[in-house]
Amino acid sequence: MLTQNILHEIKLLSRNYWFVSLTVVITGLSIYAGHNGLKQFEKRQANLTEAIQNQLEKVERVDVIATALANGEEHPRAFRLSPMNYSIATGSLTIMPAEPLSKLVIGQSDLYTHQVNISSREDLATMSFNELNNPVQLLFGNFDLNFVLSYLIPLLIIAFTYNLKSQELETGRFRLLASNPINIKLWLLQRFIVRFLALVVVITVVLLVTMLSIGVKPDLNLLQFFGLTYAYMAFWFALTFLVNVFGFSSAKNAVSLLSLWILLVLIVPTVINQMANTIYPMPSRVALLNEIRSTKKQLGKEQDKVLDEYLRNHPELIRNEGENAYGYWQGFYASQEITEKTLNPLISAFDKQLNQQQNWVNTWGLLSPAVIFQNGTTRLAGTSAAHYKEFQNQTKTFNIEWRDHFLPFVFKNKMLVKSDLEVLPDFEFDKGVVESSAASGVIILFLFTLILSMIGLLYKKSEQSVSIN
């Protein structure tokens, strides 16, 4: 019976022109989405390459000057070896390399920057990590493969499974099936499993074609991406199986499943985000900027007083040797640190509210399989909010390290020499501290699938009453 059921389902699918047509459409949309992701990836790579090249050129120009001075030669641009000139004009660069899977999942990469120019003039309160983008494009988002899988594939599953049982009821064939010694629920489950496996084959081929066309190489993250996709598909098959088991008409099944799609894919994520903003409102960004300007203006008026207080807190920096060439910058450093200490409560309030919002979304996002799927894919692609938050934290830490490295030179009235340029702080993004696995998402989705399937199998409504209805 199982073999006959499988062969029957394969024949039905092969003769279903809508299934073949929509499979072709999904293939075309996937390739187009992959092309969009590839363009976004190439744009990011080009920006990173340009930024790295510009930084290397600045470093090489200063290195030439340092080499000339080390050889006892004079150079008209020797001032470039001033610690303040180097730490501000030459500066440094922090970058967040793009992962290969970001070609498939754009995620937050259209909101945040992958590169930050580090300068001693920047303080932590005014550092910006946002990209300038078209707000209309941000409103509607980018069309990537993640969008196709999370929004369109569930609709395809609903289209080909919503009437697997009701169609038999409405055509009268269900009475003939019920007269045979078979378990109707197992028969229905077999039909769903066959269609699930058929769609798994189709989606696997579509994904492989898309990945080959944009040059994504296989690795462990790619295997997890496939596993998460199959788990997401299994959830929607289990949901349609449960609705079919209830024995409603085809029209009622279609309306019910489309309502559930709207609820789980559109409404629940929106409500979770809105509630996060309501429960954990962000402090006013305008108020923070006004406070920053006011604090800096006040400290600027009290530069000498600020420097004296700073040196009282850092007696190791006090020097009384010769003319002070960096008096202004010593006051600048002092006021910068005091500004950050003064504004720290406001900045901490921003970070705290943002973390609470993110925790809220992560916790209640479990109510939506679409959110679980998107969180998992963005983590695999390195384009999740957690990855960009970690990049910001590491950049801020490096900014402090960069500034502190030049402090002794400024307070000692000392110029840089060639050997100093060889021991400058360097930045490398450590992505290992961010969870980049989709295992939890796969487990949760398969758990939901199992629960829905068990509810369907244990549903007690009489098959006889269904056939009569």
Side-chain angles (χ1 to χ4, degrees):
M1 187 64 187
L2 175 62
T3 305
Q4 292 176 349
N5 202 8
I6 293 173
L7 294 175
H8 179 66
E9 278 304 310
I10 293 174
K11 286 181 181 178
L12 287 178
L13 286 174
S14 62
R15 294 172 183 174
N16 190 326
Y17 297 114
W18 276 108
F19 180 75
V20 177
S21 301
L22 285 179
T23 299
V24 173
V25 171
I26 289 294
T27 304
L29 289 175
S30 297
I31 294 175
Y32 177 66
H35 174 74
N36 275 346
L38 178 62
K39 289 296 180 186
Q40 184 78 9
F41 178 83
E42 290 176 341
K43 179 183 174 184
R44 288 282 180 183
Q45 289 296 87
N47 290 340
L48 285 178
T49 303
E50 182 181 1
I52 293 172
Q53 186 60 36
N54 289 339
Q55 183 62 29
L56 287 176
E57 289 176 358
K58 288 194 288 186
V59 171
E60 286 177 1
R61 282 197 291 269
V62 178
D63 193 59
V64 169
I65 298 171
T67 303
L69 295 178
N71 294 332
E73 303 172 8
E74 293 187 355
H75 199 287
R77 303 181 71 82
F79 65 89
R80 298 296 301 272
L81 287 174
S82 156
M84 290 312 304
N85 191 290
Y86 194 95
S87 64
I88 293 176
T90 304
S92 186
L93 181 69
T94 63
I95 62 170
M96 179 180 174
E99 298 292 324
L101 273 184
S102 63
K103 297 174 184 175
L104 306 178
V105 186
I106 293 175
Q108 304 287 318
S109 64
D110 55 351
L111 292 177
Y112 300 111
T113 183
H114 288 71
Q115 63 198 50
V116 177
N117 289 316
I118 300 298
S119 166
S120 292
R121 188 180 290 276
E122 293 285 342
D123 54 55
L124 301 184
T126 56
M127 289 186 76
S128 175
F129 297 93
N130 295 323
E131 289 267 292
L132 291 177
N133 274 306
N134 184 343
V136 176
Q137 184 178 3
L138 291 179
L139 176 64
F140 291 102
N142 285 292
F143 188 80
D144 60 357
L145 193 62
N146 196 39
F147 176 86
V148 175
L149 294 175
S150 59
Y151 286 85
L152 303 185
I153 292 301
L155 291 176
L156 181 65
I157 293 171
I158 291 172
F160 291 105
T161 55
Y162 76 98
N163 62 348
L164 284 189
K165 182 178 178 182
S166 58
Q167 188 180 37
E168 303 297 332
L169 283 166
E170 291 161 359
T171 57
R173 292 194 296 267
F174 192 80
R175 291 178 182 275
L176 180 62
L177 285 169
S179 65
N180 289 292
I182 59 173
N183 186 315
I184 295 300
K185 289 179 181 175
L186 288 180
W187 163 81
L188 185 62
L189 184 61
Q190 288 172 8
R191 297 194 69 184
F192 271 88
I193 292 175
V194 170
R195 296 206 172 206
F196 169 71
L197 294 176
L199 199 56
V200 162
V201 172
V202 170
I203 294 300
T204 301
V205 173
V206 169
L207 290 178
L208 289 176
V209 170
T210 304
M211 291 170 185
L212 286 174
S213 66
I214 60 177
V216 176
K217 297 180 180 177
D219 58 12
L220 182 59
N221 281 354
L222 187 59
L223 288 177
Q224 293 190 64
F225 183 86
F226 275 99
L228 189 62
T229 302
Y230 299 151
Y232 185 60
M233 291 168 56
F235 168 83
W236 285 102
F237 269 98
L239 188 63
T240 53
F241 169 73
L242 181 61
V243 172
N244 269 269
V245 167
F246 289 154
F248 302 133
S249 66
S250 296
K252 196 169 183 179
N253 281 354
V255 172
S256 300
L257 287 168
L258 288 177
S259 300
L260 287 170
W261 179 84
I262 293 172
L263 176 69
L264 296 176
V265 176
L266 301 179
I267 295 179
V268 171
T270 303
V271 169
I272 291 172
N273 282 326
Q274 287 301 320
M275 289 187 69
N277 290 327
T278 303
I279 298 174
Y280 303 108
M282 295 295 291
S284 169
R285 178 74 179 171
V286 175
L288 175 64
L289 293 176
N290 287 335
E291 186 68 23
I292 292 171
R293 294 192 186 101
S294 174
T295 303
K296 286 185 174 180
K297 185 177 179 181
Q298 182 63 29
L299 292 174
K301 292 178 180 177
E302 304 172 357
Q303 194 84 338
D304 294 338
K305 182 180 175 183
V306 169
L307 179 59
D308 291 341
E309 183 179 346
Y310 181 77
L311 290 175
R312 275 198 298 273
N313 295 328
H314 300 276
E316 74 279 4
L317 298 176
I318 297 176
R319 294 288 185 277
N320 293 311
E321 301 170 358
E323 184 181 355
N324 187 356
Y326 302 115
Y328 169 78
W329 291 112
Q330 291 173 0
F332 174 78
Y333 271 127
S335 62
Q336 197 175 37
E337 182 174 307
I338 293 176
T339 300
E340 289 176 354
K341 286 183 178 177
T342 305
L343 298 175
N344 189 52
L346 279 175
I347 298 172
S348 297
F350 255 92
D351 291 339
K352 182 180 177 182
Q353 291 295 87
L354 195 60
N355 289 333
Q356 288 178 325
Q357 281 191 1
Q358 193 60 48
N359 291 335
W360 170 273
V361 171
N362 290 337
T363 302
W364 292 101
L366 297 177
L367 296 176
S368 169
V371 173
I372 296 173
F373 177 75
Q374 291 182 352
N375 283 343
T377 53
T378 52
R379 280 200 298 270
L380 291 173
T383 56
S384 68
H387 281 85
Y388 285 95
K389 182 64 179 174
E390 184 58 31
F391 174 64
Q392 293 173 14
N393 290 337
Q394 291 185 24
T395 295
K396 289 179 178 178
T397 302
F398 179 74
N399 186 63
I400 296 174
E401 182 185 359
W402 179 259
R403 189 173 61 196
D404 290 347
H405 180 80
F406 292 95
L407 266 180
F409 294 96
V410 172
F411 281 88
K412 290 177 182 176
N413 292 317
K414 183 182 176 184
M415 295 287 282
L416 299 174
V417 296
K418 185 171 176 57
S419 59
D420 295 326
L421 303 183
E422 298 170 355
V423 293
L424 293 175
D426 196 16
F427 179 86
E428 184 176 359
F429 177 58
D430 181 11
K431 64 177 182 180
V433 297
V434 185
E435 181 187 359
S436 299
S437 170
S440 59
V442 173
I443 293 172
I444 293 171
L445 287 173
F446 273 128
L447 185 62
F448 285 165
T449 301
L450 181 63
I451 292 172
L452 293 174
S453 301
M454 291 305 297
I455 292 174
L457 290 172
L458 297 175
Y459 184 62
K460 294 296 186 183
K461 189 173 183 179
S462 168
E463 299 299 346
Q464 184 62 34
S465 64
V466 170
S467 63
I468 294 172
N469 291 336

